[in-house]
Amino acid sequence: MGNSSTSENTASDEVRVWVNGERVSAEAPAIAALDHGVTVGDGVFETCKIVDGVPFALSRHAARLDRSLAGIGLPAADHAVIDAGIASVLAGEPIAFGRLRYSVTGGAGPLGSDRRNSPLTYIVTAGSQPPGAASGKLVVVPWVRNERGATAGLKTTSYAENVVALAYAQKRGGVEALFANTVGNVCEGTGTNIFVVVGGEILTPDLGSGPLAGVTRDLVIRWCREDGLTVREEPLPMSVLEQADEVFITSSTKDVMAVHAIDDRSFPAPGPMTAHAAHIFGRLSRERLDP
Ligand SMILES: Cc1ncc(COP(=O)(O)O)c(C=O)c1O
């Protein structure tokens, strides 16, 4: 990690940033200090994968943004504004593999949790990122997801809980944390959904257990079923991790990622069902760019 890696990384590390109608420098301030997204995390966001300059599943991400905004009681977003931002950050040199992220916040607000009916703030960014590892370890964290919380299942910018959990997992050699929910069932990771394979069936926590309705999760469920696999969404006690033959996680930038360990327990990675699910997802996501 000397000087050469710093200079080599300059082009690929560049994050293109667009705020409220303008391209801005990634380093320079572009958001008001009293933006409610900054002061209290009053906002929502989406992250989409970019492959060869093309973002994946834009319509599904737009629909989830609408659900998240409605869920926290902010007005509907103007998608023409978001689309202009997306076009701006994707213009120019195509990003071979990366992340498109857009956020919509409550705009100017008071310092407290009450809102002023301000115009929404729109932030759109795009940048390269290295493709994820083939497999990773999960670490169960000592904190729970509240499946009955006001923001359960919403992709809000209040992610400090995830920051704390991921740091805990990384400190213990994990690539991702795993949360149970308040009744001791499996929920999700900080930015991923989880699937387990038991007796040849693929199981994943139902949405009532509190996970985000991941775009990748939904497509994996749908496409694996279309391929004849059994996939069930249901409450899963944490003890299912003792019975699981395989485990995998999903997200927009990780796709289907095998899990080789959860804490001290090891798993084959990828196991045969995980490899199959990854193959189906890889093939169909290349064929159907906005499924
Ligand atoms: C908490 C949480 N769960 C799951 C996911 C996976 O969702 P998706 O497949 O839509 O990326 C994310 C996305 O980053 C997330 O933030």
Side-chain angles (χ1 to χ4, degrees):
M1 291 283 165
N3 292 337
S4 66
S5 94
T6 311
S7 54
E8 266 165 34
N9 288 345
T10 309
S12 61
D13 284 353
E14 180 211 347
V15 179
R16 307 170 188 176
V17 183
W18 175 103
V19 177
N20 288 335
E22 277 178 61
R23 279 290 288 276
V24 296
S25 151
E27 281 82 39
I31 299 288
L34 298 191
D35 190 285
H36 227 209
V38 175
T39 51
V40 296
D42 181 19
V44 303
F45 75 105
E46 285 298 321
T47 294
C48 318
K49 174 176 68 167
I50 303 170
V51 180
D52 296 332
V54 181
F56 177 65
L58 275 185
S59 302
R60 283 173 175 268
H61 285 284
R64 186 172 63 191
L65 184 92
D66 291 345
R67 293 199 302 274
S68 295
L69 282 169
I72 66 169
L74 281 175
D78 182 343
H79 281 277
V81 172
I82 297 173
D83 290 347
I86 293 174
S88 172
V89 296
L90 293 182
E93 185 70 22
I95 294 171
F97 186 84
R99 170 195 295 244
L100 167 73
R101 176 183 157 135
Y102 56 90
S103 311
V104 179
T105 81
L111 288 171
S113 294
D114 49 333
R115 283 186 179 131
R116 197 181 290 154
N117 290 322
S118 304
L120 299 173
T121 295
Y122 294 86
I123 304 164
V124 185
T125 71
S128 297
Q129 75 171 57
S135 73
K137 172 183 168 178
L138 305 186
V139 174
V140 177
V141 294
W143 311 286
V144 296
R145 272 283 195 262
N146 181 0
E147 71 283 6
R148 295 185 294 123
T151 58
L154 306 177
K155 199 163 167 69
T156 78
T157 56
S158 308
Y159 257 35
E161 191 171 62
N162 290 322
V163 173
V164 173
L166 187 57
Y168 179 95
Q170 287 176 339
K171 205 169 155 195
R172 291 159 179 79
V175 294
E176 174 62 304
L178 178 60
F179 286 100
N181 66 13
T182 66
V183 294
N185 288 333
V186 182
C187 188
E188 65 177 345
T190 65
T192 57
N193 292 108
I194 183 166
F195 291 74
V196 298
V197 178
V198 181
E201 295 185 337
I202 300 176
L203 312 177
T204 194
D206 62 319
L207 295 181
S209 294
L212 184 74
V215 167
T216 322
R217 171 189 182 277
D218 194 52
L219 291 172
V220 165
I221 293 171
R222 196 171 293 254
W223 289 345
C224 285
R225 281 179 182 160
E226 271 174 32
D227 203 67
L229 301 178
T230 300
V231 187
R232 294 212 313 263
E233 300 173 68
E234 58 190 33
L236 299 171
M238 286 296 276
S239 60
V240 80
L241 304 176
E242 302 302 320
Q243 299 144 23
D245 304 312
E246 302 174 35
V247 178
F248 62 89
I249 55 175
T250 63
S251 82
S252 290
T253 52
K254 292 186 169 69
D255 289 348
V256 172
M257 183 197 260
V259 169
H260 62 245
I262 301 181
D263 296 334
D264 295 334
R265 176 148 197 239
S266 301
F267 298 93
M273 295 287 276
T274 302
H276 196 85
H279 177 75
I280 294 167
F281 185 81
R283 178 167 58 81
L284 293 181
S285 63
R286 277 189 297 275
E287 283 172 14
R288 308 178 191 175
L289 294 179
D290 197 17

